[in-house]
Amino acid sequence: ALPRRCGVSSFGLSGTNCHLVLEEYNSIQANTDEIKESADFYILPISAVNKSTLQEFVKSYLEFIQRENNLDLEDICYSAATGRGHYGARIIVIANNRDELVEKLKIIVDKWPDGFNQPGVYFGIHKIVSENKEHKGKGELTRGEKALLDDKACIGLDSIVDKEGDERYGLLEEIGDLYVNGADIEWERIYFGKNPKRVSIPLYPFAQKRCWIRIPDIEEIIDEDFGMYYTVVWEQEDLSDIKDKENQG
């Protein structure tokens, strides 16, 4: 069947008009029996702006991978690497297959943060600071230091294309360690010669924190004794004295 299509028009008072044609998205659902693990190793990067949000993101990926058995694991890892932002708090998980990846994610979730201490799992938090800062804290690095990490990652990516087995796994570990320490990774190069596709994956779990100021209800701010507003009030006054003075005058 043909996908549903529609047109949306918008007309502005200034004469600016827009017409948008939309088409229904139909994902290609592969048969679960046909899903084969096409890679020898899988590398899943997960990143957030802070540690608590990262924890929620890892939970989302665990539930998603357990639920979506019809999606190729390589497509999921590729989409996470190329379709999500990379922030200061980072985790890399390297696994041989789906079961191993799920098991590692379970350990991370159940034993947070002790679950980082397992083979093929790397965690780090970094922050870019000024070149002039003399005493840097843990995870703080300058742009110059970050550039050195980027260069090391590029060297590793140059070597990974023709590597297999333990050699490839070792290079993925090096790249994972550089990534969690702040390096930017050209993820497309890891998938050179392959044909992974973008798939729908968990969205970033934004913190449920209200950033708007609280405006009290009108009943809360009305106070007769507060004197916030100028109000005209009629007061009764005895004018008999004024009348007596007029009669005397």
Side-chain angles (χ1 to χ4, degrees):
L2 291 175
R4 290 175 291 183
R5 300 183 179 94
C6 70
V8 180
S9 297
S10 177
F11 306 99
L13 294 176
S14 64
T16 302
N17 303 325
C18 176
H19 186 74
L20 182 68
V21 178
L22 301 176
E23 181 177 287
E24 177 186 18
Y25 171 71
N26 290 321
S27 61
I28 301 175
Q29 299 292 337
N31 190 323
T32 305
D33 297 334
E34 297 175 355
I35 292 294
K36 296 179 180 180
E37 294 175 350
S38 55
D40 47 358
F41 300 107
Y42 301 91
I43 181 166
L44 176 66
I46 308 175
S47 176
V49 296
N50 55 53
K51 198 172 180 179
S52 60
T53 305
L54 181 62
Q55 184 178 11
E56 293 300 316
F57 214 1
V58 173
K59 289 181 182 178
S60 297
Y61 270 100
L62 173 59
E63 294 169 359
F64 176 80
I65 293 172
Q66 289 178 309
R67 183 177 65 250
E68 300 295 337
N69 290 322
N70 61 320
L71 292 180
D72 192 309
L73 189 57
E74 187 170 64
D75 291 341
I76 294 174
C77 293
Y78 172 77
S79 300
T82 62
R84 292 293 179 266
H86 300 282
Y87 308 101
R90 301 178 174 186
I91 281 181
I92 278 280
V93 183
I94 305 172
N96 289 282
N97 50 56
R98 184 183 293 265
D99 291 339
E100 183 182 340
L101 180 62
V102 168
E103 183 61 27
K104 288 183 176 181
L105 290 174
K106 277 184 179 179
I107 294 174
I108 294 172
V109 170
D110 295 339
K111 299 182 179 180
W112 186 279
D114 296 333
F116 303 150
N117 301 319
Q118 52 178 318
V121 175
Y122 297 87
F123 165 79
I125 296 178
H126 75 278
K127 179 182 178 182
I128 303 297
V129 297
S130 170
E131 301 280 352
N132 300 322
K133 188 172 182 179
E134 295 183 4
H135 305 290
K136 295 191 291 293
K138 183 179 179 180
E140 293 183 338
L141 69 160
T142 64
R143 294 193 180 279
E145 291 169 335
K146 179 184 176 302
L148 292 175
L149 295 178
D150 294 343
D151 291 341
K152 289 181 180 180
C154 283
I155 294 172
L157 290 169
D158 288 337
S159 306
I160 204 170
V161 175
D162 57 350
K163 294 293 187 297
E164 296 179 356
D166 292 341
E167 283 188 298
R168 182 176 178 85
Y169 185 84
L171 286 172
L172 287 176
E173 286 188 313
E174 290 180 20
I175 292 170
D177 185 56
L178 290 168
Y179 170 75
V180 299
N181 282 289
D184 289 332
I185 308 299
E186 297 177 32
W187 296 104
E188 297 282 357
R189 296 174 63 182
I190 292 180
Y191 298 91
F192 179 80
K194 301 181 179 181
N195 190 30
K197 62 179 183 295
R198 290 273 190 95
V199 294
S200 178
I201 56 175
L203 298 175
Y204 186 88
F206 291 100
Q208 300 299 308
K209 180 180 178 182
R210 180 181 173 86
C211 297
W212 296 97
I213 61 171
R214 180 180 177 276
I215 301 176
D217 295 335
I218 190 67
E219 290 81 3
E220 296 180 35
I221 63 174
I222 293 180
D223 186 349
E224 294 179 357
D225 298 328
F226 185 67
M228 180 182 290
Y229 306 105
Y230 178 78
T231 306
V232 177
V233 179
W234 293 95
E235 295 184 357
Q236 188 173 359
E237 184 179 352
D238 186 7
L239 302 179
S240 58
D241 292 342
I242 298 176
K243 280 187 173 183
D244 292 340
K245 289 180 181 179
E246 289 178 350
N247 293 332
Q248 292 174 4

